[in-house]
Amino acid sequence: MTSFPKKLPVLEVKQPMGTFYCTSIPAKYLLEVSFSDSMRAEIDSNGLIKLQGTQRVIKEDRLKQISEYINRTDSAFPNSIILAANYTENGNTLDDLDNADRWEIIREDQGLFLVIPSQKKLAAIIDGQHRLFAFAKADRSRLEMELLCSIYLDLPKPYQAQIFAIINSTQRAVDKSLTYELYGYNINDEDSSIWSPDKLSVFLTRKLNLDPESPLRSHIKIAPIMGEELENSIRNTDWKVSTAVIVEGILKLISTNPRKDSNKLFESRKPNRTDLTDDKSPLRSLYIEQNDGVLYKILVNFLTACKNIFWDNADSESYILKTIGIQAQFDILKKISQDAFSRDKRISVAYFEERLEKARNINFSDENFKNASGSGRREIRDAIEIAIGLKEKPE
């Protein structure tokens, strides 16, 4: 067993797809904190490793071949294992209840560091699963071998699929069904009727970033959810939030279990959203019935109301335009959207402004909201909920 948290020096690499971080991680640590859809490693108190498969059988012969190579005195793996951190094994992003386990980048005088808080499996393997899991079959002494890793933080699932598909298509043909199963995402154009919740959420996020009518236009970037110190270095004159923040906010409006939905979709030879069942997410019916235009209108109108009520008067120190603030506003939308659409049949900007008006004068620059982790998000959310009558003020 290894001890956590881990703090590792990283090299930041900025590319058009987004920023990732390079570091070396010993195989034994990586086996503890990572997973793929086909396999995970369990390490007992004696340091013994057992491999467990989930949806697909990994190629045992390939594992054996790689493990034999690992045992050689001249073994080398100069190519990187690609990871997407801050995702659970069921396909969900982290929420404010488990933010303490979030992988994050911190800046110190010595440079940038990756912090891995716990041994929880929160790193999905985009590429390199056979290479890594072969260490479970190699000599135990090899577990100390360092492996080069390229790590994306909070990278939405369809972008993970895009990286996977591009890497593998340049090496050998990729079975499209594998991409479907892994990510619910097709690398070719596809009918929107078969879009998984992840795919639709990314599509709507991209639209929000490009649409001239969207209050989030040019404010969304493909980047990790930042820690407090890094985020504070970005001022509201050009404020931005990560793609993951918006995708997560939309996703929770339409699905309680995105992985289950994706798997269910592609059990059928003719997948269609209308075949999925309802769940407790507030705008689930819009997703199932393919009313994407109405869903988008709700997003634009609610965010426009937020802009008019909160953003336009926010100063450079306000937390309402930082990650925790945007997350908290999506939390509010999740709570009021079902009533707005299903009961009141009102989704106009004026309606959402009316719902939010009593929270207009909250000073989100106050020190009470300073914590950039889950508690800061809760403080902002609670303040708005109390002001607009969704929650009683504690005595």
Side-chain angles (χ1 to χ4, degrees), residues 177-222:
S177 66
L178 174 61
T179 309
Y180 277 131
E181 291 175 29
L182 279 171
Y183 304 101
Y185 177 79
N186 191 0
I187 60 174
N188 297 322
D189 292 336
E190 61 189 11
D191 192 294
S192 62
S193 67
I194 66 173
W195 281 357
S196 66
D198 309 72
K199 181 69 178 289
L200 176 60
S201 298
V202 168
F203 171 80
L204 294 176
T205 298
R206 287 171 172 166
K207 190 172 181 179
L208 285 169
N209 203 29
L210 297 173
D211 183 0
E213 302 300 318
S214 167
L216 284 178
R217 186 186 186 190
S218 301
H219 289 301
I220 305 172
K221 62 179 180 179
I222 303 173

Side-chain angles (χ1 to χ4, degrees), residues 94 114 120 236 274 334 340 351 370 380 388:
L94 299 184
L114 169 69
K120 287 187 179 181
N236 292 342
T274 56
K334 183 179 178 182
Y351 172 80
K370 184 176 182 179
I380 294 174
I388 67 177

